[in-house]
Amino acid sequence: MIKGWFLVVAGMLMLNSMPTVAAEAKRHITVESSEQLYAAIHEANRVGGNTTIQLRRGLYAIHRPIVVTAPGVTLQSESLNAKDVVLRGPGMKQTGQVFSLLRVNAPHFSFIGLTAEQAPNHIIQVAGENNADYFHLSRSVLRDSYEQLLKVSHRPGQPEAADFGVVEHSTFAYSAGIGPQYYIGGIDLHLGQHWHIRHNQFYGIASPAKRVAEHAIHLWYSSGHITVEDNVIVNSDRGIGFGMANKGNQGGVIKDNWIIHADNGHPYADAGITLESSPDTIVSGNWVLQYHSYPNSIEYRFPATQRVEITNNTTNKRIRRRNGGGATVTNNHNVDKLTPLQVSTLIERFPPEYRPAVRAAIAQ
């Protein structure tokens, strides 16, 4: 009896220790022209995804939107250096049809080591309405679009969303230091859950006229449980926003970010961090230094904003309650400027072409 029991247990252990069947190997395609890029995307969609498309050094003209419909597709430069490969659209201008450079309609898409610029709408749109989960953006530059640079959309009234995304080590910028119109932003995310936005740089997301631009990072329309960590935001009308009025956000963390705005004449410069209908949120360890006339560095607004912790932040303006918001505000500090070492460290995080303007903005 004991021997039989031993044999059964040993057999179970052997089965559990056997290697699993390997997943299908990822396909690889290398391209060096726009025509080859479009053909590679078509092939990746046709075969069901699971494909890495590697772009050789050069300029790729994007004359119609790139649409990804299959899961597991990766676009990356051969060198993994964003300066080596540029995807360039037709420019920052209104068009009669939607023209984002890249639309992602499937999960597990990655965009690595690339520059993408000059879009009539968005540089990248991640279609939450198609459950495009596990989006990954890394070591890339998104710049100069007529609307938000990275849009994570949803269909109002429907539950589908893009969840579990990661955006890291990337730059979002307007090369002129100000946008072409007010309806712009860096990352505009609707409904998504459990994203991590970390170690990125934002520059010049500011409105030239009519009204304030959207935030460099804005999570709203029932988004939730998102961490925004160690980003540098320079000369943008609004830095980080969780929620908006009655289209709020649930929970999440805003920590260890750097938000600096010079007194540079931007007409709609606003608060650095804003919570609007964002309960159970932590705002901790951020630096918010604003040299324009807006009086508040951090704002928490509306009755739904409750059980919030605002702690260990460093600012040169007020932390203010508005419109019935509630928060525990403790151990925050006031300073006038950054140290020379902090200035140097933050400047080095931006691509070289932005460093002179960033230095002028933050070396107050």
Side-chain angles (χ1 to χ4, degrees):
M1 183 69 177
I2 293 176
K3 181 178 179 181
W5 173 85
F6 176 80
L7 290 173
V8 170
V9 172
M12 291 175 64
L13 289 173
M14 288 179 64
L15 286 173
N16 289 335
S17 65
M18 290 176 66
T20 57
V21 177
E24 181 184 359
K26 197 158 190 174
R27 304 170 188 86
H28 287 262
I29 304 173
T30 299
V31 302
E32 55 186 17
S33 70
S34 300
E35 292 75 16
Q36 290 178 6
L37 173 58
Y38 282 108
I41 291 290
H42 176 78
E43 178 65 12
N45 290 334
R46 187 189 69 80
V47 301
N50 195 33
T51 301
T52 294
I53 301 171
Q54 186 168 265
L55 287 76
R56 289 189 171 145
R57 182 191 300 263
L59 174 64
Y60 294 73
I62 305 303
H63 50 82
R64 66 178 186 275
I66 296 169
V67 182
V68 176
T69 59
V73 174
T74 295
L75 287 184
Q76 66 181 42
S77 64
E78 191 173 45
S79 66
L80 300 181
N81 191 327
K83 71 179 180 61
D84 290 340
V85 175
V86 177
L87 310 182
R88 180 174 296 162
M92 293 186 293
K93 57 186 180 181
Q94 288 183 301
T95 60
Q97 58 184 359
V98 176
F99 193 136
S100 298
L101 299 195
L102 174 64
R103 181 180 172 92
V104 181
N105 288 341
H108 295 284
F109 173 82
S110 295
F111 190 88
I112 303 173
L114 300 162
T115 294
E117 63 183 21
Q118 296 292 328
N121 294 102
H122 314 296
I123 300 296
I124 299 176
Q125 180 171 356
V126 181
E129 57 269 32
N130 293 323
N131 276 324
D133 298 335
Y134 300 101
F135 172 82
H136 182 210
L137 175 73
S138 182
R139 288 179 279 177
S140 293
V141 177
L142 276 57
R143 63 188 177 204
D144 299 339
S145 63
Y146 195 70
E147 297 182 358
Q148 297 88 0
L149 294 162
L150 173 59
K151 179 85 167 189
V152 184
S153 58
H154 84 297
R155 185 172 291 112
Q158 300 298 317
E160 291 81 12
D163 302 321
F164 302 105
V166 174
V167 179
E168 59 185 358
H169 302 292
S170 294
T171 297
F172 299 77
Y174 282 90
S175 300
I178 195 165
Q181 53 132 350
Y182 71 88
Y183 187 59
I184 59 171
I187 300 171
D188 177 24
L189 184 148
H190 298 189
L191 195 63
Q193 310 291 308
H194 303 290
W195 283 61
H196 208 143
I197 301 170
R198 60 196 180 203
H199 317 312
N200 303 291
Q201 297 73 239
F202 299 79
Y203 171 71
I205 301 170
S207 168
K210 292 189 178 180
R211 63 187 72 173
V212 65
E214 200 172 358
H215 307 71
I217 304 171
H218 193 197
L219 320 174
W220 61 296
Y221 227 123
S222 301
S223 58
H225 315 294
I226 294 171
T227 297
V228 176
E229 177 181 8
D230 187 35
N231 301 282
V232 182
I233 301 170
V234 175
N235 283 0
S236 297
D237 281 353
R238 295 183 284 183
I240 301 168
F242 277 23
M244 188 174 76
N246 63 340
K247 296 180 175 67
N249 168 80
Q250 176 64 47
V253 177
I254 302 170
K255 67 177 182 179
D256 300 333
N257 299 282
W258 302 80
I259 303 171
I260 302 101
H261 200 303
D263 184 11
N264 63 352
H266 281 172
Y268 297 97
D270 205 283
I273 297 174
T274 306
L275 305 182
E276 297 189 16
S277 301
S278 184
D280 303 303
T281 304
I282 296 173
V283 180
S284 177
N286 304 282
W287 284 66
V288 184
L289 301 182
Q290 301 170 142
Y291 302 101
H292 51 69
S293 61
Y294 194 81
N296 304 325
S297 291
I298 301 174
E299 297 179 346
Y300 52 103
R301 305 181 62 183
F302 302 115
T305 301
Q306 300 295 332
R307 301 175 303 281
V308 164
E309 296 180 20
I310 301 175
T311 183
N312 294 317
N313 301 284
T314 301
T315 72
N316 67 338
K317 299 287 184 76
R318 295 182 300 182
I319 299 174
R320 187 183 173 198
R321 173 181 183 265
R322 296 180 59 190
N323 311 100
T328 300
V329 181
T330 58
N331 201 34
N332 299 286
H333 311 282
N334 287 98
V335 300
D336 292 326
K337 60 183 180 180
L338 301 170
T339 68
L341 178 59
Q342 288 171 326
V343 169
S344 177
T345 300
L346 296 181
I347 290 169
E348 289 298 313
R349 289 182 52 169
F350 284 82
E353 61 267 33
Y354 295 105
R355 290 175 190 170
V358 171
R359 178 178 292 279
I362 71 177
Q364 299 289 318

